[in-house]
Amino acid sequence: MVNLYLGLVLFGVSVALMVRARLGLDPWDVLHQGLSERTGIGLGWIVIGVGALVLLMWWPLHQRPGLGTVSNVIVVGLTAQGALAVLPHPGPLAVRFAFLLVGIVANSVATGMYIGAGLGPGPRDGLMTGLAARGHSIRLMRTAIEISVLAAGWLLGGTVGVGTVLYALSIGPLAQFFIHRMNIADRKVALHG
């Protein structure tokens, strides 16, 4: 539970750091930011709303959410909204780049923590695995989903930039590194094995 909730809070803070960097966001947050810009609704509230809609898409895929899934929908958005309220708007490019790098690494650590807790995937991850369970390639489904939300977010005015590319290139290896090290089941086996 501690891993789950610390991970979700850290994930929300990482989103806010990348938003404040203004150098480009991950695909889903490009969509969230674009929707926020168009509607005037705070980004954190958009994260919650989109997460809930994606969770509804699980129904026909026969996916079952866990405590971690439902918590993800709520905690990440609330934390991102709160962090955006207190984080400064950095001016110098060096500080913005530092926000971006810390945001990407924090996002990876957070992913390792909440997935490693084993209490259910995030709504977006569950959508991908649900589609893959229907016989589609995970790589194809993940790529199609990410490109679709990135394109929609960019058209809505979300920030695409060097941070988007850096995130895309680094998140896979970083997330794999941290998921392996923070997996609760793996640690239990190592302790008792």
Side-chain angles (χ1 to χ4, degrees):
M1 294 295 276
V2 172
N3 252 29
L4 171 67
Y5 287 105
L6 284 178
L8 294 176
V9 167
L10 184 59
F11 199 96
V13 170
S14 75
V15 168
L17 284 165
M18 290 186 284
V19 168
R20 285 291 183 251
R22 300 185 322 273
L23 294 170
L25 302 167
D26 66 276
W28 281 98
D29 289 325
V30 172
L31 176 65
H32 298 145
Q33 186 183 50
L35 288 168
S36 178
E37 294 287 326
R38 292 290 180 159
T39 63
I41 298 171
L43 185 120
W45 303 115
I46 294 289
V47 169
I48 293 169
V50 169
L53 288 174
V54 170
L55 198 52
L56 289 176
M57 292 177 185
W58 285 30
W59 188 267
L61 299 172
H62 305 289
Q63 292 286 91
R64 293 179 188 240
L67 174 65
T69 309
V70 176
S71 296
N72 183 302
V73 171
I74 299 165
V75 175
V76 171
L78 288 177
T79 305
Q81 190 68 30
L84 285 168
V86 298
L87 280 173
H89 295 267
L93 184 58
V95 177
R96 291 171 49 211
F97 199 72
F99 269 46
L100 174 67
L101 292 179
V102 170
I104 290 172
V105 172
N107 191 279
S108 303
V109 172
T111 299
M113 290 177 79
Y114 85 76
I115 289 177
L119 295 170
R124 294 147 188 90
D125 295 324
L127 176 62
M128 174 196 63
T129 58
L131 290 168
R134 300 287 231 199
H136 303 288
S137 156
I138 285 183
R139 180 177 37 209
L140 178 63
M141 288 299 92
R142 184 64 179 234
T143 302
I145 291 168
E146 297 289 321
I147 289 172
S148 299
V149 299
L150 178 63
W154 179 71
L155 290 171
L156 290 167
T159 306
V160 177
V162 67
T164 308
V165 175
L166 189 56
Y167 185 92
L169 294 175
S170 63
I171 196 63
L174 286 171
Q176 180 176 344
F177 176 83
F178 288 113
I179 288 169
H180 176 69
R181 278 151 187 78
M182 297 188 179
N183 189 303
I184 300 296
D186 287 351
R187 283 192 291 188
K188 285 180 182 175
V189 169
L191 289 173
H192 301 295

